[in-house]
Amino acid sequence: MSGEASLERGWTLEGQGMDGETVRLAFGETQVRRADPGLTVGRHPALADLVVDHPTVSRRHARLSISGNTLHVEDLNSLNGTMIDGAAVPPFERLSIADGQTLVLGDVTLTLVRQR
């Protein structure tokens, strides 16, 4: 027995902004399920659960939520928009996002990776 606790399943959003700065957000399945109505992603630490410090990301940019085993993204009427694989996410509409898909918040491009 290794003595190591098993890690919770979750996701990472990894990538970079147009300025080349690396961004990595990690969050667990339980964290998303407990957050009602979801985890907020944005630039302002007091308003967002997951912070992306980039000028093209709104203070409260998007929300991540889960239904069943599906992760969803909802744009919170951000100034510079949200896209999944190049398709715009309409404000306040939840769209599913899956492992390997690209999420763009303003000028920050992130790839979703499912941690098992």
Side-chain angles (χ1 to χ4, degrees):
M1 189 161 131
S2 69
E4 292 180 25
S6 63
L7 296 176
E8 176 185 19
R9 291 173 44 131
W11 296 267
T12 56
L13 282 165
E14 301 178 66
Q16 60 186 20
M18 295 291 285
D19 57 5
E21 186 170 333
T22 299
V23 176
R24 185 174 191 275
L25 305 173
F27 50 99
E29 191 170 313
T30 302
Q31 182 183 11
V32 179
R33 288 187 189 281
R34 287 185 180 166
D36 186 27
L39 293 176
T40 303
V41 181
R43 188 181 73 243
H44 196 287
L47 300 175
D49 302 301
L50 302 169
V51 176
V52 179
D53 185 18
H54 194 275
T56 64
V57 174
S58 294
R59 291 177 294 166
R60 293 179 66 247
H61 197 102
R63 181 178 296 128
L64 300 169
S65 60
I66 191 168
S67 175
N69 292 322
T70 305
L71 187 66
H72 298 277
V73 175
E74 175 184 0
D75 182 83
L76 297 176
N77 202 27
S78 64
L79 180 63
N80 294 308
T82 302
M83 294 192 299
I84 298 173
D85 286 344
V89 177
F92 306 112
E93 186 174 322
R94 286 183 353 146
L95 298 181
S96 63
I97 185 169
D99 189 32
Q101 286 191 294
T102 300
L103 177 66
V104 179
L105 307 170
D107 286 339
V108 178
T109 302
L110 305 165
T111 300
L112 183 70
V113 178
R114 179 71 161 146
Q115 305 300 317
R116 304 201 187 277

